[in-house]
Amino acid sequence: IEKTLLCVLRLVALGISLWILVYNYQAQDQSHNTVFREYGQALLAPLPRSSLYLTHGDLSVGLVRYMQGCLSFRTDIRVFDRTLLATNWSRRHITGNLPGVKVPGMMYRRDGSPGSYTLGAFFDANIQHFPIFTDKLGVSKLVDDNSWQDRYEVEPFGLCYSVHLKQTPPDT
């Protein structure tokens, strides 16, 4: 009788689960929701060809990877999550997967310790080869490493921020 009761309870639980699924499916169906695709297109579409885009965090990098990998949208843009620059495998990943991107040391460290590089050095190594962009969260995190602030500035560019050399004011 114990096995029969257990079997009945399992069937009741399965039945309740199926009822909840069927009853709520229409309200929860997101198959026609295009918000993330539209956001991804708005994020990537304005970027110049062959840009280098440094994201910061899962939302941006996941969205961009989906747009590139699943929808084949703007696959010319080189994307890397800046938080991963500090890993011991990032150099190998970048040189193997992001053609032309230069990594000026073994590992990113904001203090520029021996054998490492700073964001300023990373920008220096790549600014002549690629337009460089970051996302909004990446801009707020760029201040963690101020090695770039004397030579570079960021400006809004669509939904991203452009990283470029500071303009030298003309002599007056």
Side-chain angles (χ1 to χ4, degrees):
I1 193 151
E2 194 173 295
K3 286 184 179 182
T4 305
L5 181 60
L6 185 60
C7 185
V8 168
L9 288 175
R10 286 180 180 163
L11 287 173
V12 168
L14 179 62
I16 291 171
S17 298
L18 287 174
W19 178 79
I20 290 171
L21 178 68
V22 169
Y23 182 77
N24 291 306
Y25 180 78
Q26 191 170 12
Q28 299 301 319
D29 179 16
Q30 297 294 312
S31 62
H32 299 291
N33 185 338
T34 60
V35 169
F36 285 107
R37 185 180 70 229
E38 291 169 12
Y39 176 62
Q41 289 171 336
L43 184 74
L44 296 174
L47 297 181
R49 184 152 182 72
S50 300
S51 294
L52 176 58
Y53 180 43
L54 297 175
T55 64
H56 187 87
D58 294 340
L59 175 62
S60 297
V61 77
L63 174 66
V64 172
R65 295 273 185 246
Y66 169 75
M67 296 300 294
Q68 291 181 325
C70 298
L71 302 180
S72 298
F73 185 76
R74 294 305 309 267
T75 57
D76 61 296
I77 296 174
R78 292 158 176 85
V79 179
F80 195 74
D81 189 340
R82 190 181 75 80
T83 59
L84 300 178
L85 288 175
T87 63
N88 61 0
W89 51 265
S90 68
R91 179 184 173 91
R92 186 174 58 250
H93 175 79
I94 290 171
T95 56
N97 295 293
L98 302 176
V101 176
K102 309 283 187 252
V103 182
M106 293 307 296
M107 187 183 307
Y108 166 76
R109 291 284 183 257
R110 67 179 177 211
D111 64 1
S113 54
S116 70
Y117 60 93
T118 62
L119 281 177
F122 185 81
F123 293 161
D124 289 343
N126 291 287
I127 197 73
Q128 298 301 319
H129 307 285
F130 306 101
I132 300 175
F133 295 88
T134 188
D135 57 17
K136 183 174 176 130
L137 184 56
V139 167
S140 67
K141 296 296 181 182
L142 286 177
V143 297
D144 293 347
D145 172 354
N146 62 6
S147 64
W148 60 276
Q149 292 177 341
D150 290 340
R151 296 182 311 279
Y152 296 94
E153 59 189 355
V154 293
E155 289 183 351
F157 186 91
L159 297 177
C160 302
Y161 288 81
S162 171
V163 177
H164 55 86
L165 289 166
K166 286 184 175 180
Q167 300 296 321
T168 307
D171 291 334
T172 55

